[in-house]
Amino acid sequence: MTPVSANGLAVTADGNTATLKMTNVPIIDQPRWPAMDAETTPAFMDFNLVFKSTHEPVKYEDPTRQYRFEGFKATAQLEATIRVPSIDFTFKTDPLDTSRCDFAVMGEEVNGKYYEAAEG
């Protein structure tokens, strides 16, 4: 797990947009994966990830697993740079404004406790 710096996560006052910016996140390069003897090489990733709410409500719940998530469908955009210093390799994705993913959600999760919906 990589800790998020104090200024790494920004959420707008209305809660409709969340931006996560991370730099120098340690990852590995493993080009021969899934070979059992595939060697790994240290690598690093910088990224900017933006979630924007569509205001369309969504709820996922499973009482048997004591899980509930309530929130809103969202869009997500990502721009990233991957660096493998040992081979002097850098890869950069397309810019943030051309990135789009329509399967994202924003909201709150309860795991380990299941609260019945209030009847009234």
Side-chain angles (χ1 to χ4, degrees):
M1 181 181 313
T2 300
V4 176
S5 67
N7 60 351
L9 178 64
V11 180
T12 57
D14 61 9
N16 291 324
T17 302
T19 302
L20 177 62
K21 290 184 181 184
M22 302 279 292
T23 57
N24 292 318
V25 176
I27 60 174
I28 60 167
D29 178 39
Q30 194 173 22
R32 292 188 339 103
W33 185 89
M36 293 297 288
D37 62 344
E39 62 281 343
T40 62
T41 304
F44 301 91
M45 177 171 57
D46 303 332
F47 67 88
N48 187 6
L49 175 61
V50 179
F51 292 99
K52 294 181 183 175
S53 172
T54 65
H55 304 290
E56 182 181 340
V58 65
K59 183 165 127 177
Y60 303 106
E61 62 184 332
D62 184 344
T64 62
R65 292 192 176 128
Q66 299 183 350
Y67 176 83
R68 175 186 283 171
F69 175 91
E70 293 183 26
F72 298 92
K73 289 185 180 180
T75 61
Q77 295 173 285
L78 175 71
E79 181 176 322
T81 301
I82 310 299
R83 295 181 314 282
V84 186
S86 65
I87 59 172
D88 195 27
F89 175 80
T90 300
F91 170 79
K92 185 168 183 174
T93 66
D94 289 337
L96 189 68
D97 60 352
T98 63
S99 172
R100 183 172 173 106
C101 172
D102 290 322
F103 184 77
V105 292
M106 295 175 67
E108 296 184 21
E109 173 231 356
V110 175
N111 194 355
K113 300 176 188 170
Y114 185 75
Y115 301 101
E116 293 290 330
E119 294 186 30

